[in-house]
Amino acid sequence: MNRTAFFDQLPTQTFDVCIIGGGATGAGCALDAALRGLSVCLIEKEDFAAQTSSKSTKLIHGGVRYLEQAVKQLSPDQFRMVRKALHERRTLLQNAPHLTRSLPLLTPCRSWLEGMYYSIGLKIYDWMAGSRNIQPSRWLSKTQVLEHVPQLQTEHLHSAVLYYDGQLDDARFALALIKSAAKEGAVVLNHTEALAFGYSKSGKVRKLEVKDTLNGHTYDIQAKVFVNATGPFSDQIRTMANAKSRPRIRVSRGSHIVLEKSHLPGNTAILVPKTDDGRVLFLIPWKDQVLVGTTDLEDELSDTPRPTLAEEKYLMSYVNRYLKTPITEADIRAGFTGQRPLIEAIFAKDTKSLVRDHEVEVDDKTKLISILGGKWTTYRLMASDTIDAVCEQLKVKKDCSTEQYRLAGGEAYTPDLFLKLQQTYGLTEEVARHLARTYGTEAMDVLALTQENPDWKQPLVAPHPFIQAEVIFARRQEMACTPEDLLYRRLGLGLIDAEATQRVYPLVERLLQ
């Protein structure tokens, strides 16, 4: 992953496909296309996964809420989407075992009738997953529930249903896709903004002027096919290519707050099955913290969405409704907001009722391919459908081969890798586990840097398990260009501890230099 070398390739090459957008879907498209033998260039205006793809609820799931909507509305579209997502859930867990894990979730119930309702619903969820189910759901008594999560309030607790979904490190997963695509021959560029398209005589997009936003230099990218994979920003690229394009995307904001682990120890998450405004909410163990989210409100598109005070209070109110120890604003360690790209539906009254499925659109005039909608769990299917459309334009027949592909760091990963790291480099168990779960087998490359400079084995910032070598590795091997790239995506510290992020910023700047 050498940014300078990648830029040097732009003037000398006509790519089969140029992908605009370096989030989950764009990265998935780049890997899929490269594995099909196509020449690939991917550009991202900010950093890889800087927007929605690093600000999710970190779940790999079929969507319990979508299943409930499917049943109530007798919606075949919702059923199909849940089934596809449940199939893909297992694939994500297998393809990046270091960045994913199975996650037990408790759904508290206030009555026998409510327990029966959710127990039946989650048995349907199990049944739809079929042989690819993680573990079967179970209806637990009040006593059993408190053995799992003793922090739950008991006043209105009757029982709970325990079921299983998956969890992922979303920013690192997107980066693993990018690194794997580069390994397979793709040119990948962050901090590279699309400025203007160029066209053939027939009106098809054939060229894209881009700018390196770090130094202002501009380049032309020549490609046979262009893909728009910019998520909530899709309409901007569609309009850039064809000014007559009508808007297709409605944006929904999902905000989260982060609390100390002490508020929900253990590894079991809580699903609040129904909020006062008809949504679901999660309290999830995440990187030795507790992640609470998400909201779901229609929003204006923004490069810098942030949680509002009203959203923070909304999320806090449900923590205080379900956990014994109340929290205040002082307990919030960090917060973040992601914007979901929902495909416009003519009769939808609000964003929470829109289907989270995807659509591949090919513009009649310019032949720009746009991948619209979707969600993290189905990124691979979205990429497959998109690259099928690319191959159709190129008039080649090459099949998708990503389902069995182990991503960077996951190739020979085993759950006991942390023990080898601990013994070989004299690490604490906490640091060894962190490195194994973040880098997989590439953790050995990170730690090899400590032989070049023993100081890089030192902690980066207390009380977190990061070490200084990770900054060097991110700069040399993962195209981290700015402190924000490092703190918010490569490490994710900025999303879990705002105070520690500010404290370590000067050191990160020095190490990057």
Side-chain angles (χ1 to χ4, degrees), residues 11 23 59 73 151 172 235 281 298 371 414 429-430 499 503:
L59 290 176
Q73 301 167 9
Q151 294 75 26
R172 294 292 315 184
D235 283 342
L281 205 68
E298 189 150 9
I371 172 65
T414 57
E429 181 178 335
E430 183 186 23
E499 186 276 330
R503 185 155 35 96

Side-chain angles (χ1 to χ4, degrees), residues 48-228:
F48 306 121
Q51 289 289 344
T52 305
S53 294
S54 63
K55 298 169 183 174
S56 74
T57 313
K58 323 299 181 188
L59 290 176
I60 310 170
H61 62 138
V64 172
R65 174 163 67 93
Y66 308 128
L67 175 59
E68 186 177 33
Q69 289 177 357
V71 172
K72 288 181 175 178
Q73 301 167 9
L74 296 178
S75 168
D77 290 339
Q78 295 274 26
F79 272 115
R80 277 193 295 270
M81 189 195 70
V82 173
R83 186 182 291 278
K84 285 190 296 186
L86 286 170
H87 179 92
E88 286 301 298
R89 183 181 65 178
R90 174 65 73 177
T91 302
L92 268 69
L93 290 168
Q94 291 172 344
N95 289 0
H98 57 306
L99 298 172
T100 61
R101 70 180 184 98
S102 62
L103 179 70
L105 295 103
L106 273 177
T107 305
C109 305
R110 294 169 176 258
S111 66
W112 180 89
L113 189 62
E114 202 170 76
M116 178 63 71
Y117 177 79
Y118 290 116
S119 181
I120 292 171
L122 287 163
K123 285 299 179 187
I124 295 172
Y125 198 65
D126 293 343
W127 170 76
M128 290 181 72
S131 63
R132 298 174 70 84
N133 198 29
I134 297 173
Q135 286 190 50
S137 59
R138 292 183 290 138
W139 190 2
L140 304 181
S141 68
K142 183 174 181 177
T143 301
Q144 291 172 317
V145 172
L146 295 175
E147 288 173 1
H148 282 272
V149 185
Q151 294 75 26
L152 271 175
Q153 285 198 26
T154 58
E155 184 179 355
H156 300 291
L157 180 66
H158 173 271
S159 56
V161 181
L162 179 69
Y163 76 102
Y164 293 82
D165 263 325
Q167 186 175 51
L168 83 165
D169 186 334
D170 51 7
R172 294 292 315 184
F173 199 111
L175 185 65
L177 289 167
I178 289 287
K179 293 171 74 171
S180 298
K183 174 187 169 186
E184 300 296 338
V187 168
V188 292
L189 290 164
N190 55 357
H191 299 287
T192 304
E193 182 178 5
L195 298 179
F197 284 108
Y199 305 85
S200 68
K201 290 181 180 179
S202 63
K204 181 182 177 182
V205 288
R206 293 302 301 271
K207 182 177 75 172
L208 180 63
E209 183 185 7
V210 301
K211 180 176 72 174
D212 180 348
T213 60
L214 299 181
N215 60 26
H217 295 165
T218 59
Y219 303 82
D220 285 340
I221 297 175
Q222 308 280 345
K224 298 171 186 175
V225 182
F226 284 85
V227 168
N228 169 19

Side-chain angles (χ1 to χ4, degrees), residues 51 72-73 152 161 231 239 254 280 284 287 323 364 387 408 484:
Q51 289 289 344
K72 288 181 175 178
Q73 301 167 9
L152 271 175
V161 181
T239 304
V280 298
I284 303 175
K287 290 197 172 185
L323 298 186
D364 289 339
I387 304 306
E484 288 75 18

Side-chain angles (χ1 to χ4, degrees), residues 455-462 466-472 482-483 486-487 491 493 500-513:
D455 289 344
W456 293 343
K457 195 175 178 181
Q458 295 300 311
L460 190 63
V461 60
F466 311 115
I467 62 172
Q468 295 183 19
E470 294 178 74
V471 183
I472 308 303
T482 70
L486 186 285
L487 291 166
L491 299 184
L493 176 63
T501 300
Q502 288 185 323
R503 185 155 35 96
V504 78
Y505 197 97
L507 173 59
V508 167
E509 275 192 310
R510 289 198 300 274
L511 289 169
L512 285 174
Q513 289 167 4

Side-chain angles (χ1 to χ4, degrees), residues 172-330:
R172 294 292 315 184
F173 199 111
L175 185 65
L177 289 167
I178 289 287
K179 293 171 74 171
S180 298
K183 174 187 169 186
E184 300 296 338
V187 168
V188 292
L189 290 164
N190 55 357
H191 299 287
T192 304
E193 182 178 5
L195 298 179
F197 284 108
Y199 305 85
S200 68
K201 290 181 180 179
S202 63
K204 181 182 177 182
V205 288
R206 293 302 301 271
K207 182 177 75 172
L208 180 63
E209 183 185 7
V210 301
K211 180 176 72 174
D212 180 348
T213 60
L214 299 181
N215 60 26
H217 295 165
T218 59
Y219 303 82
D220 285 340
I221 297 175
Q222 308 280 345
K224 298 171 186 175
V225 182
F226 284 85
V227 168
N228 169 19
T230 55
F233 300 90
S234 295
D235 283 342
Q236 291 183 353
I237 301 300
R238 294 172 65 249
T239 304
M240 182 190 295
N242 184 350
K244 294 182 179 180
S245 299
R246 72 172 183 86
R248 295 292 313 280
I249 297 297
R250 282 172 69 177
V251 175
S252 165
R253 62 185 285 116
S255 291
H256 306 76
I257 57 173
V258 178
L259 311 173
E260 282 190 1
K261 179 71 171 172
S262 58
H263 294 284
L264 188 65
N267 295 315
T268 302
I270 297 171
L271 165 65
V272 176
K274 192 170 184 180
T275 61
D276 295 340
D277 50 357
R279 298 176 173 89
V280 298
L281 205 68
F282 295 93
L283 285 69
I284 303 175
W286 170 245
K287 290 197 172 185
D288 293 322
Q289 319 291 321
V290 179
L291 180 64
V292 183
T294 176
T295 59
D296 189 348
L297 298 167
E298 189 150 9
D299 199 15
E300 295 295 323
L301 189 63
S302 170
D303 285 322
T304 55
R306 291 187 177 90
T308 64
L309 182 59
E311 287 176 312
E312 290 179 357
K313 289 182 176 179
Y314 169 85
L315 295 172
M316 285 168 50
S317 72
Y318 283 95
V319 174
N320 291 337
R321 204 180 290 190
Y322 279 83
L323 298 186
K324 289 177 182 176
T325 306
I327 64 167
T328 67
E329 290 175 30

